[in-house]
Amino acid sequence: MKAWIAALGVDGAAIARDCRTAGIALSAMGIVLDGMRVKHRLRGGESAFSVMARAAACGRSLKD
């Protein structure tokens, strides 16, 4: 959990939990979707499931 929070750059245990539930890999935090990194989308309040849907629409996988 600490690694997720460190990657997101926020004290967001709830965001980290949602990422794990949605299947977003820790290594996916740096992937750019529509001009913005995954971690910045999550920090900005976009839900993990919305980020997964956005990635799928772009043909990208955020899973391990």
Side-chain angles (χ1 to χ4, degrees):
M1 187 63 85
K2 290 179 184 180
W4 281 96
I5 293 170
L8 290 166
V10 295
D11 185 19
I15 295 171
R17 182 193 65 237
D18 290 347
C19 286
R20 292 173 66 195
T21 300
I24 298 175
L26 187 56
S27 60
M29 293 298 114
I31 293 175
V32 177
L33 297 173
D34 294 334
M36 187 181 289
R37 293 189 189 283
V38 168
K39 65 181 173 184
H40 293 125
R41 290 189 172 282
L42 295 166
R43 282 185 208 162
E46 189 169 343
S47 75
F49 296 101
S50 175
V51 172
M52 284 293 283
R54 185 182 301 275
C58 294
R60 304 288 307 263
S61 175
L62 302 180
K63 298 190 180 276
D64 290 330

